[in-house]
Amino acid sequence: MKKYAVVFERAAHNWAAYVPDLPGCVTTGRTLEETRRLIAEAIEFHIEGMRLRGEAVPEPTAVAEVVGVHAA
C-alpha cells in the first residue's frame, strides 16, 4: 500500500483536497470527513487512469506536517 500526502484546505463553504505527487488529483466536499473519503476515491481513480493510459505511477515523495509558530 502506498501512502500519498494530501493537502486539505478549508474554504468559505466547503473543503478542498489535492495530492502534490499526483497533479490533477483534486476533490471538494462539504465537510472534512466527506473530503477525506472523496480524495481516497480520487487517488484510486487517478492511479487506475494512469495505468490504463500506460503511464508510470509516481512514488509518493511529498511529506506534509503541521508546524507550530509563535505570532510576532
Side-chain angles (χ1 to χ4, degrees), residues 3-67:
K3 293 186 177 186
Y4 289 92
V6 176
V7 177
F8 294 92
E9 297 177 338
R10 188 173 188 167
H13 303 289
N14 69 326
W15 284 84
Y18 67 93
V19 184
D21 288 323
L22 301 172
C25 187
V26 299
T27 194
T28 61
R30 289 173 291 187
T31 65
L32 179 57
E33 293 75 23
E34 178 183 39
T35 307
R36 282 186 179 122
R37 180 179 54 78
L38 292 172
I39 197 64
E41 293 173 6
I43 291 168
E44 291 178 0
F45 183 73
H46 193 87
I47 290 172
E48 180 181 337
M50 292 180 77
R51 287 187 176 137
L52 288 173
R53 290 187 302 275
E55 298 174 10
V57 177
E59 291 295 318
T61 60
V63 177
E65 293 184 23
V66 176
V67 177

